[in-house]
Amino acid sequence: WQDASGNYVLQQLLEHGDEETRNELMKGVEKEGVVALSLHMHGCRVVQKAIKCLDQTQVTTLITKFRSQVLNFTHDPNGNHVIQKCIQVMSSLAKAAASRNDTDMASSLSDQLQFVVDDVVANVESLSKHRYGCRVVQRAIEFCVEHQKDAVLKKIV
């Protein structure tokens, strides 16, 4: 999980493995501790790949583990990438559901990301001035659904 070379193998298994392989890998992520992996130089790459490659249900379950960690992750040189990936993937899933006219799913997905947006909005001034936090603010503006993006922008101006 935290090996300089081994993490690449795990990323490839997440991307190209079957559902059973992904499920086994996620059990390993749980065992290692997803928060600890997210803060590790190599582990965070595995977590990012999991967020990108897992199905919607697994991703939403995974990101709930970050609920009390958003600011900790955002200030971390590795963890900020995990929060950025959460914003990108969850927002893309919400927008895709909206484009299919599945407004209930779109709303549910954006609601599940709201805890991240709330922490960004509440701390936007300090995050905007932070070397890693500013990247998370940028991703929120770039990817979030309109009402979330508007909340961030309103707080900035």
Side-chain angles (χ1 to χ4, degrees):
W1 303 106
Q2 299 178 7
D3 182 75
S5 299
N7 82 85
Y8 291 107
V9 173
L10 295 172
Q11 289 179 60
Q12 292 300 306
L13 287 170
L14 282 165
E15 188 168 7
H16 302 290
D18 60 17
E19 185 177 345
E20 182 180 340
T21 301
R22 285 191 202 104
N23 289 338
E24 287 301 313
L25 286 170
M26 291 317 297
K27 287 178 188 174
V29 166
E30 289 291 323
K31 183 179 176 185
E32 288 291 317
V34 70
V35 171
L37 286 173
S38 296
L39 297 172
H40 187 274
M41 180 183 353
H42 305 300
C44 74
R45 294 182 178 136
V46 175
V47 175
Q48 289 174 75
K49 187 62 80 169
I51 293 167
K52 180 181 174 189
C53 294
L54 293 175
D55 68 39
Q56 184 174 299
T57 303
Q58 290 172 309
V59 171
T60 56
T61 299
L62 181 63
I63 70 164
T64 61
K65 308 274 193 284
F66 308 145
R67 196 165 283 280
S68 63
Q69 298 293 327
V70 175
L71 292 179
N72 185 30
F73 280 25
T74 302
H75 288 105
D76 186 80
N78 304 306
N80 81 86
H81 296 286
V82 172
I83 294 298
Q84 289 182 61
K85 188 60 74 176
C86 288
I87 292 169
Q88 292 170 324
V89 169
M90 290 298 289
S91 297
S92 295
L93 289 171
K95 289 176 182 178
S99 72
R100 294 188 310 270
N101 293 321
D102 190 348
T103 54
D104 290 340
M105 180 58 71
S107 179
S108 174
L109 289 163
S110 64
D111 287 350
Q112 292 177 53
L113 182 65
Q114 191 62 46
F115 73 94
V116 174
V117 176
D118 289 343
D119 280 350
V120 169
V121 168
N123 299 281
V124 75
E125 184 176 349
S126 64
L127 292 177
S128 296
K129 298 174 186 176
H130 190 272
R131 66 192 291 186
Y132 308 124
C134 69
R135 298 173 189 171
V136 173
V137 174
Q138 290 171 356
R139 292 303 86 73
I141 294 168
E142 184 178 1
F143 287 98
C144 280
V145 297
E146 288 304 311
H147 74 274
Q148 292 172 328
K149 181 188 311 186
D150 289 346
V152 174
L153 291 170
K154 182 179 176 185
K155 187 69 174 191
I156 291 171
V157 286

